[in-house]
Amino acid sequence: MEATALQSPMSTANGSGQKPLGKTGVLLVNLGTPDSPNVPDVRKYLREFLMDGRVIDVPYAVRTVLVNGIIAPFRAPKSAKIYKELWDEQGSPLKYYGYKVEKLVQDQLGDDYVVKLAMRYQSPSIDTALDAFQKMALTDIVVLPFFPQYASASTGSVYEKVMDILKTWQVIPKVRFVNRFLEHPKFIEGFAQIARKYMATHDYDHFLFSYHGLPERQIRKGDVSKTVCKFGECCGSLRADNQYCYRAQCFETTRRLVKALGIPEGKYTTSFQSRLGNDPWIKPYTDDVIKEMPGKGIKSVLAFSPAFVADCLETTIEVGEEYKEIFEEAGGTHWQLVESLNDSPLWIETVVDLVKNC
């Protein structure tokens, strides 16, 4: 009797082996945003975000007291005022650009894919998106966190959340995770393309690349050998032994952008923003760097925030407005933010390529 080979999940109806039996689910995940800029919604968002053990990596009991007893109650009213500055008629830029990207990527990928946007914190939730995927008999799922550089507190947290949900499924399809994409040429060119329109109209004295900060202790935890991380020249190149160091990845992102834009040595700085609490965070601190610039003869700056792919509080308000004010108070005259990729064509091409080739 002739043996018949069982059809694999990647087989087609005619056995050509080119097309999956089912569709591919694509989960696009960004950090999150409050549902509104009102204090209760901001407080709810802060509590979910800061109670994540990968974000504030202290014992649960300490974190609970810190977040629910101190940070959320006192920070929510202040943050709500800032979110109201960010909000426009469409709502939160991070969310509405996310939905635009979801649609544009779906259009590009076609009917063999199902694309869903999710936020690590608040809505639309990862739980809701994966619940929908579970009912679709998908062949595989691609999880793409919208973080160019890997960090435990961002990409790692998305991985953990997704795996916590999937472990409860009876049938778990093939799952592929995108770890980072700072090396993707279209991601780099996307920021470079936006920057060039400003460089064409003004001769900048200096270029600032400001990334979201992390506590130094989290970088040390990621150094599994306990011999690499020195918070200095060890970030001068991206190698096998420091490839998951967030700080090293940020410096590598800067080097790639500098090369793409032809920026000379000595005319750019990499720094870190958005620190919280009194523990040391990775340096140099952006606000300290800015204060010193005018005294060094730097009067005009083109500022980038390449840890974010969509405009949000940390880009539009922190870098675009608050740092501009610090710079001008110190004697600077011209400050310009390079906006995020948002729904630009090159960003859509980047996402599509990452989904297809991860």
Side-chain angles (χ1 to χ4, degrees):
M1 182 177 178
E2 184 178 350
T4 302
L6 291 175
Q7 193 177 45
S8 76
M10 297 304 292
S11 300
T12 60
N14 62 12
S16 65
Q18 297 299 312
K19 185 177 178 182
L21 287 175
K23 296 184 178 185
T24 294
V26 179
L27 186 66
L28 308 177
V29 188
N30 213 330
L31 186 73
T33 181
D35 290 333
S36 83
N38 298 322
V39 173
D41 283 333
V42 172
R43 184 183 298 116
K44 181 181 177 183
Y45 169 74
L46 289 174
R47 281 176 172 160
E48 183 181 358
F49 172 40
L50 299 175
M51 279 302 296
D52 185 338
R54 285 181 178 263
V55 174
I56 297 184
D57 54 333
V58 298
Y60 178 79
V62 176
R63 188 165 67 249
T64 300
V65 173
L66 185 64
V67 173
N68 295 319
I70 300 174
I71 300 176
F74 290 98
R75 189 168 177 175
K78 297 178 183 178
S79 295
K81 291 180 181 178
I82 303 173
Y83 273 113
K84 286 177 181 177
E85 295 179 38
L86 177 70
W87 240 250
D88 58 29
E89 65 277 2
Q90 298 182 74
S92 167
L94 187 141
K95 184 177 286 189
Y96 65 68
Y97 278 123
Y99 280 124
K100 288 180 180 180
V101 171
E102 176 191 66
K103 181 182 185 305
L104 290 167
V105 171
Q106 180 68 74
D107 292 344
Q108 288 289 317
L109 288 173
D111 293 339
D112 290 335
Y113 294 82
V114 181
V115 182
K116 288 192 176 293
L117 174 71
M119 299 294 174
R120 176 59 186 89
Y121 313 104
Q122 298 299 284
S123 62
S125 71
I126 294 175
D127 303 74
T128 301
L130 289 179
D131 182 61
F133 281 171
Q134 188 180 21
K135 299 170 183 176
M136 293 180 184
L138 300 173
T139 293
D140 59 344
I141 296 173
V142 177
V143 180
L144 172 48
F146 274 2
F147 310 118
Q149 304 85 18
Y150 175 89
S152 172
S154 54
T155 308
S157 179
V158 171
Y159 285 11
E160 182 177 291
K161 178 68 174 179
V162 169
M163 290 187 287
D164 277 348
I165 295 169
L166 292 181
K167 73 182 182 183
T168 67
W169 291 14
Q170 187 65 35
V171 175
I172 301 176
K174 178 181 178 181
V175 182
R176 292 175 284 149
F177 292 92
V178 175
N179 184 266
R180 67 171 187 245
F181 49 87
L182 67 93
E183 298 99 335
H184 198 291
K186 288 184 178 179
F187 164 73
I188 295 297
E189 181 57 25
F191 270 107
Q193 190 177 80
I194 299 169
R196 289 189 192 106
K197 71 180 181 181
Y198 296 113
M199 295 171 70
T201 60
H202 191 91
D203 186 17
Y204 291 93
D205 297 330
H206 205 78
F207 300 85
L208 178 70
F209 298 88
S210 180
Y211 298 83
H212 198 286
L214 286 176
E216 288 184 354
R217 67 175 182 273
Q218 292 190 8
I219 304 297
R220 290 194 186 93
K221 285 182 179 180
D223 179 9
V224 293
S225 70
K226 307 304 178 188
T227 62
V228 177
C229 185
K230 307 296 181 185
F231 298 105
E233 290 305 314
C234 53
C235 294
S237 63
L238 196 63
R239 312 173 303 276
D241 60 0
N242 72 350
Q243 62 182 307
Y244 290 109
C245 170
Y246 173 76
R247 188 175 186 271
Q249 291 172 74
C250 291
F251 277 93
E252 177 67 16
T253 307
T254 294
R255 286 189 290 269
R256 288 172 181 262
L257 285 166
V258 163
K259 182 178 180 181
L261 291 167
I263 299 171
E265 285 297 320
K267 289 198 69 172
Y268 65 90
T269 300
T270 298
S271 59
F272 300 90
Q273 65 190 75
S274 310
R275 62 188 185 274
L276 175 68
N278 297 319
D279 286 350
W281 283 46
I282 50 178
K283 301 177 183 69
Y285 298 146
T286 300
D287 51 353
D288 290 344
V289 167
I290 293 169
K291 293 172 186 176
E292 297 173 355
M293 284 180 168
K296 298 177 179 178
I298 297 171
K299 299 295 184 178
S300 62
V301 171
L302 187 62
F304 299 72
S305 193
F308 300 92
V309 297
D311 283 324
C312 55
L313 192 114
E314 287 84 354
T315 61
T316 304
I317 303 298
E318 189 170 10
V319 178
E321 297 181 12
E322 294 177 0
Y323 288 165
K324 178 182 179 182
E325 184 177 344
I326 292 173
F327 183 64
E328 291 176 346
E329 286 179 351
T333 58
H334 187 84
W335 179 274
Q336 177 62 56
L337 168 68
V338 175
E339 61 267 28
S340 293
L341 301 177
N342 295 324
D343 60 347
S344 64
L346 274 175
W347 173 228
I348 303 305
E349 291 178 25
T350 304
V351 174
V352 170
D353 191 53
L354 289 168
V355 169
K356 289 183 174 181
N357 298 300
C358 70

